[in-house]
Amino acid sequence: MSELERHKFDVVVIGAGGAGLRAAVEAREAGLSVAIICKSLFGKAHTVMAEGGAAASMGNVNSGDNWMVHFRDTMRGGKFLNHYRMAELHAKESPDRIYELEMWGALFDRTKEGKISQRNFGGHEYPRLAHVGDRTGLELIRTMQQKIVALQQNDMKTFGKLWIEVFAELTVTEILKEDGKVAGVYGYWRESGSEVLFEAPAVIIATGGVGKTFKITSNSWEGTGDGHALALKAGANLVDMEFLQFHPTGMVWPPSVRGILVTESVRGEGGILTNIKGERFMFKYIPDVFKDKYADNEAEADRWYLDQDKNRRPPELLPRDEVARAINTEVKAGRGTEHGGVFLDVSKRISAEIIKKRLPSMWHQFYELAGVDITKEPMEVGPTCHYVMGGVEVVPETAAAVGVDGLFAAGEVAGGMHGSNRLGGNSLSDLLVFGRRAGIGAIEYVRANEAKSVSDSSIKAASQRIEAPFTRTGGENAYSLHAELQEITHNLVGIIRTKSELVEAIEKIADIRTRSANISVTGGRKFNPGFHLAFDLDNMLLVAESTAKCAVGREESRGGHTRDDFPGMDNKWRQVNQISSFDGQKVNVRKQALPSIPKELFDLFDVHELEKYMTAEEIAKGGSN
Amino acid sequence: MARKLNMRIWRGDSVDGALQDVQVEANEGEVVLDVIHRVQATQMGDLAVRWNCKAGKCGSCSMEINGKPRLACMTQVASYGEEETITVTPLRAFPVIKDLVTDVSFNYKKAMEIPAYAPPSDLKPGEARMQQVDVERSQEFRKCIECFLCQDTCHVIRDHEENKKSFAGPRFFIRIAELDMHPLDTLRNRKQTAQEEHGLGMCNITKCCTEVCPEHIRITDNAIIPMKERVVDVKYDPVRWLGSKIRKREGIV
Ligand SMILES: Cc1cc2nc3c(=O)[nH]c(=O)nc-3n(C[C@H](O)[C@H](O)[C@H](O)COP(=O)(O)OP(=O)(O)OC[C@H]3O[C@@H](n4cnc5c(N)ncnc54)[C@H](O)[C@@H]3O)c2cc1C
Ligand code: SF4
Ligand code: SF4
Ligand code: FES
């Protein structure tokens, strides 16, 4: 075999989405050498698809907004299962992260006073989402991509060489450790199939989500849970993997576009949901905990668009889990469209001209892909797997992965921040806040710890794993196994879950995993998607196992986890995180106490509201000190 | 309403390759990327193709379909006749890596050559004030998804490898225009360097780039032509040049 390609850096960032890029900027600006590795071309990461906006309580549109209001909304949205400290840091730091992007050249939409404009979104009390039409993620990615180019230009000018490099179309297959500490990562170039070793004392995982584990999803092919699986295998924990967000509005027709996201801004801009009988059904689905915030009649809901201080908001803007379940129920009750969706209509609310201006890519998407003109007709929509709340257990301040020295995780791959349900817009700001914090965590770690060199035996093992599927012939086909897995998760671990189905899912996933050990790949190593999928599938299987096992464990319904056999929320379960770990053979799940909320944050809420979520003893304690 | 579709897919690498005929099922509403994926899953497991979002948002799935630069995820199979064969080939302006995947690193190199955004040195975070009408001009160019279809179609480099060195291409003309029109950017000579260093002068306004842009960015009318006109202006009228730069700074409070 030819000589192995080797690199040495201070920090390796896996992932070039919002979180990875923000972490990389931080580390480079502190003077460290940084590698950014990603599976796609630079600038194409999943973040590019984010539409609605980034939540930050700048108070530009309603001066009543501040971090405390944002914090409360985030905790409510997550049904108080959030790690309070992450939600607090996020709420406090988001505005600065948005302003910083503007300093790097981002051009957000403006208010009349020339400030950054902010839009309404589900679960946010005030207009809070900084946005650029409906392509906010593209703005975020491009701004940071260009910031990194600027850092590179500066490196060339000052040092005549790059200290921050992008390794695009390279898949990481392993996080390598020596003496219990992170020593680097191993992977292969997608283009050539040849192998690469990166030695680095600190590794930041920023690999995004897991949507491709499911059949109907808004995620791109990259969302295969690689970081979740890499972390598990490296000895880190995943927290609360049962919580998956099914976005209420994905496209449903034609089949080829099933799952593609219809941004929540459509509802933010006035879109209403109706069933096949023409009923505006969301009024029937307002849960008790939200009764005082959401209008229970059309007249008030309509008035809200004109006067938001005097009226309660329309129920279309309830948190996503509520809306997704409502649509699911309508369709199951036979009140859905022939393609299994419901109608979402903005055409009667705002003029064609404004629709095209505020929702340009939605107009484009429906017109080109479904032949529907949303300025004239309603859209057909239904739930789609969108976001994973669960993820790597981290220390909030530094984004350090609990249990593995030198490993950090930020962005969608990290857990805790969003509790059982994420509010729209809170992810983009999460990427920035915790991307930066992971950068800082890695900087501090690198300064305090020596780099370790990777042993030959570790290299050999990693390399053998990559070679394995080529050495087999006539084995299983990765594409069919993937399709089988998606069928199982969709049918048995979907929006509404029940014990017997989950148990069945766990068995079936284990069976696929056994068979996947026998995958064989046709063709050579060069840009071979069949070979790539074999590795992605391995990750998806671990994620699915963890999700199914956590789902069976949690005997209540909360946020992105609904149990048919335990339909209510149980305040005792609010005190529990489920922690997944990997023993080399299987995923094990144990219970762990949620960190209790300190008094100063406890006091931000009305006690009567907390009574809906907390046990009497917790209320009596009034928060910890 | 599945039907059999005849396709010709270019397969090969930098050394050698050829079109291969395949028959594949196509269902109602499918786009070309869907049928390529079906070919991949059922007949050619190692067929190389780039894609990400399947929604026209990331600009990964650029290829040539019946000779036209297009996004495969936004091209309906039904837009071709029932009997028509759909031929897919890699972007012609860039070197092939494998099958439908090309080496687009040219574009990333060009991006490195364009001076970064330069805000006023005394601007503090959160203090920028800009009017919507003023940001909209640059926002149009920031819609770019970097699919590089415009680069692929531009005749200056499409069959002229030798021009690549001195020509940044339409994607980067709009990047320069975007910065030039950014209400807060302070760099003064963007138009001149576009002309002198990035090859704006080699563009003869054929508008082919605008025609293929999936984001409908008016590359020629709103970026190239105004820059070309102003370069001429600037050469003859230094007072106006100064004026334009002073106006730019008005946005800062
Ligand atoms: C359609 C859509 C719209 C959305 N809209 C919004 C919105 O309006 N507001 C909001 O707040 N959130 C939104 N979200 C959610 C948000 O976009 C994502 O949660 C967020 O972008 C994730 O960012 P990330 O940085 O964690 O990872 P990603 O952007 O997913 O990037 C992951 C990176 O990791 C790389 N990677 C993965 N595995 C490997 C590996 N093994 N080796 C090497 N590299 C690897 C990938 O190549 C990629 O570069 C939306 C999501 C979708 C799907
Ligand atoms: S208008 Fe200019 S840049 Fe565009 S394709 Fe024609 S020559 Fe190329
Ligand atoms: S300007 Fe248009 S065609 Fe050119 S790269 Fe950008 S989106 Fe593609
Ligand atoms: S796959 Fe993203 S543009 Fe086609």
Side-chain angles (χ1 to χ4, degrees), chain A residues 40 42 44 51 103 107 109-110 114 139 143 153 169 220-221 256 260 365 368 479 526-527 529, chain B residues 34 40 45 47 50-52 54 57-58 76 98 108 112 114 123 130 132 139 142 144-146:
Chain A
S40 307
F42 191 29
K44 311 284 182 209
E51 297 165 350
M103 296 297 285
L107 279 173
D109 287 346
R110 318 305 295 183
E139 188 68 13
T143 301
Q153 290 171 337
E169 301 196 308
S220 74
W221 69 265
S256 110
I260 294 179
Q365 182 175 312
E368 308 243 338
Y479 294 101
K526 201 165 179 181
F527 215 116
Chain B
D34 289 317
Q40 202 179 47
L47 171 63
R50 277 197 187 102
W51 68 288
N52 263 32
K54 216 175 148 303
K57 293 196 165 74
C58 71
Q76 295 272 350
K98 183 173 168 232
Y108 291 93
M112 281 282 283
I114 293 168
L123 183 70
M130 295 178 261
Q132 184 64 30
Q139 280 182 335
R142 289 183 73 82
C144 171
I145 57 173
E146 300 208 319

Side-chain angles (χ1 to χ4, degrees), chain B residues 150-151 153-157 167 169-171 173 199-200 202-212 219-220 224-225 228:
Chain B
C150 56
Q151 306 285 82
T153 206
C154 178
H155 68 96
V156 178
I157 45 176
F167 187 75
R171 157 62 188 124
F173 296 150
L200 184 64
M202 294 161 89
C203 158
N204 53 356
I205 325 189
T206 58
K207 299 204 181 185
C208 311
C209 50
T210 306
E211 273 162 32
V212 299
I219 305 173
T220 25
I224 295 180
I225 295 175
K228 277 182 177 267

Side-chain angles (χ1 to χ4, degrees), chain A residues 397-505:
Chain A
E397 285 78 4
T398 56
V402 172
V404 186
D405 284 347
L407 191 63
F408 300 81
E412 189 167 341
V413 70
M417 158 70 208
H418 304 284
S420 67
N421 174 50
R422 172 183 72 97
L423 294 184
N426 267 2
S427 169
L428 291 186
S429 38
D430 164 8
L431 307 182
L432 299 169
V433 167
F434 292 102
R436 172 176 164 275
R437 284 191 166 269
I440 295 174
I443 296 163
E444 287 168 357
Y445 182 84
V446 168
R447 290 196 175 137
N449 291 275
E450 297 268 310
K452 298 198 167 285
S453 35
V454 174
S455 67
D456 288 344
S457 61
S458 304
I459 295 173
K460 197 157 167 228
S463 174
Q464 274 170 353
R465 219 183 124 232
I466 295 180
E467 181 57 24
F470 290 103
T471 60
R472 294 185 283 261
T473 49
E476 299 275 351
N477 172 325
Y479 294 101
S480 349
L481 289 186
H482 183 207
E484 251 183 77
L485 172 67
Q486 290 179 316
E487 212 57 52
I488 294 166
T489 49
H490 179 81
N491 295 330
L492 308 175
V493 200
I495 304 187
I496 311 287
R497 302 164 173 171
T498 190
K499 182 165 183 183
S500 56
E501 291 182 355
L502 290 167
V503 170
E504 187 186 336

